[in-house]
């Protein structure tokens, strides 16, 4: 793999993946992935479909554990603790590493209950905050408050898809994660809703470590600070986004971003 | 080739037409029969209102020999036995459905599902027999009752009878909950139980409601089983201990008395009136179930 020195002073390493392999049964979907992901930055993962982007993302919050017959080998350090060590707490991990899915998937409940779900399930400090405040704060954080503040009791699934996706983001940040994983969050959305999510990501970046899978190279170029290019389960190249898109080091990357492969 | 095809054409059209007409006749005649049965029931039952006064009919005692036809003890008897049966069957049924769909490993599911289907196939006489010879003596002994043939015994066996329906319909409802809801919940750090309790079951609630309604419908119309195990004493179940005393339901009354009644007598007409009441209750339950299904469809269509 081709890499450059990432260590600029203001950057803090949030996630370090070391020699990660992942298997569906015998099929190796990820091979020897090593990558450092910085806090308060947006890292985009690109590559043709089936190259293992979603699989990699699900390794970071161990959602792959819910798929039978799978196995991860290697290390994923979150704040220097290996999330795959035997004493790691998956529940705690998932509350720290939130996830936004490809299709907006709000629960068929009210807008309020969707956002309140995480705090209710995981508990919150009742002496300093009440649930209403958490819900408002989270909806503001997802740039949705003004649109829904008068209809918090309404069915979340009556919202437009773009609003639903921002609701899912609000639901995720309501549990105060450190990291937000987004698996093609705009692929079901129209250009305007996509633009709104991208704007939101730029704001969220101030507080969270964001990793986004996208099949749109323009999107990666627009929003991300770092870009990783996956190919057949391998991380071919990882670099500053402007470097990847202007001076790709690998021929595969070059061919892919110029539309000649994939 | 072309030739045979063109000569075939009218023949095939005719067959098509014949099959279509046949299906249409069968369809309409079954609707017609249901309607005729309904008319017959109404004609025979509503006549009771001419023979017997409202005061008598709405009375609290059932003594046909003395021309006392209070239907309330029978109606309340049916309702009591059925409600308690559903209260027993609901947690068991939904619990089992959750276990089968959400918790059990694949091989256990493969064993359990056919077992539940077998359970549904046990004839109610057999269940009644089981209740009379096994359950009733057991309750008699351990609950300190005067007799083992009580409303409660009936409820327990009815619950058992309604279980397979409730389990399989509830399981389908759980199955229809999209995986994406579970994923969203798990990815936020909810445990499996929190996910089931707070996401999956609420999302499946209209299907679960349908399961309960179908179970109710089956239980309230059941005859043989309740006749065998509830003791058939027509008294008003107004006190709490009525549950542990004999009781009499509308279905058991009709089945027991219709054979000996003189056709056209008041007693005969009142038995038909009981049939109308039963029909109405079942109809309302089915309507409620259907509207639950309808609401679910409409919501599904919105997305
Ligand atoms: N649940 C699964 N079971 C078996 N194989 C899977 C599963 N999910 C993904 N794969 C395989 O793993 C590879 C990577 O898939 P994925 O991570 O979804 O790719 P991407 O998100 O980049 O399109 C593909 O070859 C895919 O067929
Ligand atoms: Mg994918």
């Amino acid at each position: 793999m081709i890499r450059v020195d990432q260590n600029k002073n203001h950057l803090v390493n949030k996630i370090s993946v070391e020699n990660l392999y992942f298997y569906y049964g015998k099929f190796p979907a990820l091979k020897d992935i090593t990558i450092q992901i910085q806090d308060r930055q947006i890292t985009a993962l690109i590559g043709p479909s089936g190259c293992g982007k979603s699989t990699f993302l699900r390794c970071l919050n161990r959602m792959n554990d819910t798929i039978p017959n799978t196995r991860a080998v290697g290390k994923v350090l979150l704040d220097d603790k290996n999330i795959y060590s035997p004493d790691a707490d998956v529940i705690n991990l998932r509350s720290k590493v939130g996830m936004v899915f490809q299709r907006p998937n709000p629960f068929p409940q009210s807008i309020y209950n969707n956002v309140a779900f995480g705090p209710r399930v995981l508990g919150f400090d009742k002496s300093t905050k009440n649930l209403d405040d958490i819900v408002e704060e989270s909806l503001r954080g997802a740039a949705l408050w003004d649109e829904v503040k008068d209809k918090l009791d309404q069915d979340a699934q009556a919202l437009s898809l773009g609003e639903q996706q921002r609701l899912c983001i609000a639901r995720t940040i309501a549990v105060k994660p450190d990291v937000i994983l987004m698996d093609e969050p705009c692929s079901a959305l129209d250009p305007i809703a996509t633009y709104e999510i991208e704007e939101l990501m730029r704001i969220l970046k101030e507080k969270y470590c964001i990793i986004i899978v996208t099949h749109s190279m323009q999107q990666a170029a627009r929003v991300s600070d770092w870009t990783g290019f996956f190919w057949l389960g391998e991380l071919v190249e990882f670099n500053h986004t402007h470097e990847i898109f202007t001076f790709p080091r690998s021929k595969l990357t070059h061919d892919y971003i110029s539309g000649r492969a994939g | 080739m072309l030739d045979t095809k063109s000569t075939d054409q009218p023949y095939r059209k005719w067959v098509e037409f014949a099959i279509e007409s046949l299906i249409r006749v069968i369809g309409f005649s079954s609707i017609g029969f249901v309607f005729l049965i309904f008319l017959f029931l109404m004609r025979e039952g509503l006549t009771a209102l001419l023979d017997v006064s409202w005061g008598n009919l709405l009375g609290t005692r059932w003594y046909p020999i003395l021309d006392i036809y209070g239907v309330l003890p029978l109606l309340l008897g049916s309702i009591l036995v059925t409600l308690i049966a559903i209260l027993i069957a609901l947690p068991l049924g939904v619990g089992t459905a959750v276990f089968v769909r959400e918790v059990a490993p694949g091989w256990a599911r493969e064993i359990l599902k056919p077992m539940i289907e077998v359970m549904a196939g046990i004839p109610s006489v057999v269940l009644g027999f089981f209740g009379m010879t096994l359950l009733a003596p057991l309750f008699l002994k351990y609950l300190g009752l005067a007799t083992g043939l009580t409303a409660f015994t009936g409820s327990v066996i009815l619950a058992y009878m309604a279980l397979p329906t409730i389990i399989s319909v509830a399981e389908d409802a759980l199955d229809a909950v999209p995986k994406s809801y579970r994923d969203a919940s798990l990815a936020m750090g909810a445990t499996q139980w929190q996910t089931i309790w707070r996401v999956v079951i609420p999302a499946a609630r209209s299907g679960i409601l349908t399961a309960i309604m179908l179970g109710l419908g089956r239980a309230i119309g059941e005859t043989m089983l309740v006749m065998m195990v509830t003791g058939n004493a027509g008294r008003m179940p107004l006190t709490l201990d009525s549950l542990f005393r004999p009781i009499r339901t509308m279905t058991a009354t009709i089945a027991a008395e219709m054979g000996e009644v003189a056709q056209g007598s008041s007693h005969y007409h009142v038995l038909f009136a009981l049939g109308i009441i039963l029909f109405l209750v079942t109809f309302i339950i089915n309507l409620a179930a259907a509207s639950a299904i309808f609401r679910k469809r409409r919501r599904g269509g919105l997305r």
Side-chain angles (χ1 to χ4, degrees), chain A residues 24 27 29 48-55 58 67:
Chain A
Y24 291 106
F27 174 71
S49 64
C51 67
K53 305 178 300 289
S54 300
T55 304
R58 288 197 306 265
I67 306 172

Side-chain angles (χ1 to χ4, degrees), chain B residues 25-69:
Chain B
V25 167
I26 293 171
F28 277 118
S29 60
S30 56
I31 295 172
F33 285 133
V34 171
F35 187 67
L36 285 178
I37 290 171
F38 180 73
L39 272 190
F40 178 71
L41 190 66
M42 284 299 166
R43 197 194 68 185
E44 301 293 303
L46 289 181
T47 328
L49 295 175
L50 304 176
D51 294 5
V52 186
S53 73
W54 277 103
N56 191 351
L57 274 177
L58 296 180
T60 59
R61 297 191 317 147
W62 177 262
Y63 285 116
I65 310 166
L66 306 175
D67 277 336
I68 297 175
Y69 299 112

Side-chain angles (χ1 to χ4, degrees), chain B residues 51-198:
Chain B
D51 294 5
V52 186
S53 73
W54 277 103
N56 191 351
L57 274 177
L58 296 180
T60 59
R61 297 191 317 147
W62 177 262
Y63 285 116
I65 310 166
L66 306 175
D67 277 336
I68 297 175
Y69 299 112
V71 298
L72 280 185
L74 310 180
L75 177 63
L76 291 183
S78 281
I79 290 175
L80 177 74
V81 173
T82 310
L83 273 189
I84 301 298
I86 288 300
L87 283 185
I88 298 171
L90 176 63
L92 284 177
V94 175
T96 312
V98 165
F99 177 75
V100 172
R101 172 59 184 79
E102 306 284 327
V103 186
W107 59 267
R109 194 173 310 161
E110 296 305 310
I111 299 173
L112 280 168
K113 285 184 84 165
M115 265 173 69
I116 291 162
E117 269 151 41
V118 169
M119 214 171 126
I122 301 176
S124 61
V125 186
V126 176
L127 286 181
F129 187 64
F130 168 80
M132 270 173 111
T133 56
L134 249 143
L135 224 48
L138 211 71
F139 288 163
L140 179 68
K141 197 164 157 204
Y142 291 105
L143 296 179
L145 308 173
T147 165
L149 300 177
T150 64
F152 184 67
T153 318
S155 297
V156 170
I157 310 226
L158 269 187
Y160 185 85
M161 196 198 74
L163 264 179
T165 313
I166 295 183
I167 294 171
S168 54
V169 178
E171 204 217 318
D172 286 347
L174 296 175
D175 210 45
V177 174
K179 183 172 178 299
S180 65
Y181 298 169
R182 295 170 226 262
D183 285 349
S185 171
L186 292 173
M188 238 176 305
T191 63
Q192 191 188 12
W193 281 113
Q194 288 169 329
T195 302
I196 291 171
W197 188 245
R198 289 172 180 260

Side-chain angles (χ1 to χ4, degrees), chain A residues 44-63:
Chain A
L45 306 178
I46 59 171
S49 64
C51 67
K53 305 178 300 289
S54 300
T55 304
F56 177 72
L57 215 55
R58 288 197 306 265
C59 281
L60 303 182
N61 63 350
R62 292 187 58 175
M63 274 302 278

Side-chain angles (χ1 to χ4, degrees), chain A residues 61 63 66-67 90-92 94-95 97-99 101 103-109 114 117-118 120-122 155 157-158 171-172 175, chain B residues 177-192 194-205 299-300 302-303:
Chain A
N61 63 350
M63 274 302 278
T66 64
I67 306 172
V90 179
I91 300 299
N92 183 34
R94 290 184 189 153
S95 68
V97 183
M99 187 166 211
F101 295 80
R103 277 200 68 83
N105 57 355
F107 302 126
Q109 298 175 11
N114 264 279
F117 179 85
R120 277 181 179 147
V121 163
L122 299 168
D155 188 352
Q157 298 188 336
R171 181 175 67 180
T172 303
V175 302
Chain B
V177 174
K179 183 172 178 299
S180 65
Y181 298 169
R182 295 170 226 262
D183 285 349
S185 171
L186 292 173
M188 238 176 305
T191 63
Q192 191 188 12
Q194 288 169 329
T195 302
I196 291 171
W197 188 245
R198 289 172 180 260
V199 176
V200 180
I201 292 184
R205 65 175 174 266
R299 163 174 279 180
L302 258 179
R303 287 193 288 124

